[in-house]
Amino acid sequence: MTDFPGAPTGPKPIDAAGGRRLRVLAAMSGGVDSAVAAARAAEAGHEVTGVHLALSANPQSFRTGARGCCTVEDSRDARRAADVIGIPFYVWDLAERFREDVIDDFVAEYAAGRTPNPCLRCNEKIKFAALLDRAIALGFDAVCTGHYARIVDLPTGERELHRAVDMAKDQSYVLGVLDADQLAHSLFPLGDTTKDAIREEAERRGLAVAKKPDSHDICFIADGDTQGFLAKHLGTAPGDIVDTDGNTVGEHDGAYGFTIGQRKGLRIGRPAADGKPRYVLDISPVNNTVTVGPVEGLDVLSLTAIRPRWCGTAPGADGRYTAQLRAHGEEVPVTATLADGELRVELDTPARGIAPGQAVVLYDGTRVVGSATIAATGRRAVPA
């Protein structure tokens, strides 16, 4: 755990309303984090209502078992937690919106040769767009979730999004899509606490989900087989696997089944001339080819990102930041420039396995500056 200056202490969530009692809608997934977040909001004196999001027209088709996400049993766990906390509880059907904005987008991105992050898209389109919009329309002041991140209120009345104190659980990367207006109506009560402490607190509160396992997989892929899921939706599309010289070294059943940086499962017939492993360097849906090459070909030196969303002030000319390029990746020092609505990022040191479709999130210390979708990467030249 890392301590940051000014980190909030105690169980109370950050309150931008000067201490007044808020009407809070607590998103309760059925897991331990969202249950404790709702309990903390209620303990802080807010008027809390719990809501579970039904994200599948057939919940049994989503991952079963105690995963803490989107199944029927998760809905029941969320209801039991709300009963223990003593707050009203409802289930909202957002299945159609989830299918359109998350599942269909996931399939379309892979079909276009990109690598999407469905959890980030769910936060942007469902939890902090559809859910928050409906909450505000119903008269709620804020939405409360169990994300590990911190909101810091400035004397000016503005709010900043910061990393969680527990860096091992920090989820600020997937929250980088939130804009200033959404931050103004958000509560993240767990940002100052470790996961172990949250489980202990859940036990003290008598919440049955205290020992429920975390969810790590894509909720709408029931068996965890992403390639099989994509094949079902996109069908087979045989094509060539080629090396950096354009020579055919193998065949595939669909370019969508590969990701940048992939090493295993390439089904390449003959070894490389140098005897070293080969990795996926490029995926081209235009000619349905997958290009493989040496690991050095994965070194990304720069990138261009589109659809930027800023948590506060947008970066100016040649701003110095750190960037996180994957959900569980390390930060790298960068120079970022916003030009013609695109974010252009130069990396101080090369990063590997970065693919179009992923998000780049900029940080200024622990503060989240904003997020954008990677459209293109500039790589180190690889000798033929």
Side-chain angles (χ1 to χ4, degrees), residues 284-350:
S284 175
V286 176
N287 55 17
N288 196 28
T289 59
V290 175
T291 301
V292 297
V295 68
E296 293 81 9
L298 294 173
D299 286 349
V300 170
L301 305 175
S302 64
L303 59 89
T304 300
I306 57 175
R307 298 192 297 274
R309 292 175 62 88
W310 309 113
C311 297
T313 304
D318 297 334
R320 290 291 295 170
Y321 304 94
T322 57
Q324 187 172 335
L325 303 171
R326 291 188 297 273
H328 303 291
E330 296 181 354
E331 290 181 68
V332 293
V334 301
T335 298
T337 305
L338 187 64
D340 300 324
E342 292 183 342
L343 183 66
R344 298 170 187 173
V345 180
E346 299 288 335
L347 283 62
D348 286 12
T349 56

Side-chain angles (χ1 to χ4, degrees), residues 105 109 114-117 120-121 124-125 176-178 304-310 338-343 356-360 370-375:
D105 174 81
E109 285 292 284
R114 297 185 286 266
T115 304
N117 184 319
L120 187 149
R121 192 67 61 230
E124 176 186 0
K125 298 293 187 179
V177 292
L178 304 186
T304 300
I306 57 175
R307 298 192 297 274
R309 292 175 62 88
W310 309 113
L338 187 64
D340 300 324
E342 292 183 342
L343 183 66
Q358 294 175 327
V360 52
S371 173
T373 302
I374 298 172

Side-chain angles (χ1 to χ4, degrees), residues 79-272:
R79 183 178 296 277
R80 283 191 287 267
D83 289 342
V84 171
I85 299 167
I87 59 175
F89 178 82
Y90 300 91
V91 175
W92 285 2
D93 184 359
L94 292 179
E96 184 175 353
R97 180 75 180 264
F98 183 79
R99 178 183 57 78
E100 294 174 354
D101 289 342
V102 179
I103 300 178
D104 290 352
D105 174 81
F106 179 84
V107 173
E109 285 292 284
Y110 267 102
R114 297 185 286 266
T115 304
N117 184 319
C119 293
L120 187 149
R121 192 67 61 230
C122 182
N123 281 321
E124 176 186 0
K125 298 293 187 179
I126 305 300
K127 293 178 181 176
F128 293 96
L131 177 62
L132 181 56
D133 289 349
R134 185 180 293 190
I136 297 301
L138 291 173
F140 288 93
D141 300 301
V143 164
C144 167
T145 74
H147 287 97
Y148 285 80
R150 295 184 297 129
I151 293 178
V152 174
D153 294 310
L154 304 179
T156 59
E158 297 176 302
R159 312 191 87 188
E160 292 180 345
L161 178 65
H162 285 251
R163 285 194 182 278
V165 170
D166 186 350
M167 287 292 290
K169 296 301 295 182
D170 174 63
Q171 293 174 295
S172 60
Y173 175 84
V174 296
L175 296 174
V177 292
L178 304 186
D179 60 27
D181 184 62
Q182 291 170 324
L183 283 179
H185 298 283
S186 299
L187 293 177
F188 304 129
L190 308 189
D192 64 331
T193 319
T194 66
K195 183 59 178 258
D196 288 343
I198 290 299
R199 291 197 181 279
E200 292 172 1
E201 181 176 334
E203 282 205 84
R204 291 196 305 271
R205 293 182 181 275
L207 298 171
V209 292
K211 296 181 180 179
K212 187 173 182 177
D214 290 337
S215 176
H216 298 289
D217 303 309
I218 299 173
C219 67
F220 54 85
I221 301 181
D223 58 2
D225 181 7
T226 300
Q227 188 166 349
F229 175 86
L230 291 170
K232 179 180 177 181
H233 284 76
L234 297 174
T236 57
D240 293 331
I241 300 175
V242 301
D243 62 19
T244 53
D245 288 330
N247 301 314
T248 299
V249 295
E251 296 179 347
H252 64 76
D253 294 327
Y256 54 77
F258 298 83
T259 57
I260 301 296
Q262 180 178 335
R263 174 185 172 185
K264 297 182 179 180
L266 301 185
R267 295 183 299 175
I268 297 174
R270 57 188 176 86

Side-chain angles (χ1 to χ4, degrees), residues 26-38:
M28 303 182 69
S29 68
V32 62
D33 295 329
S34 60
V36 172

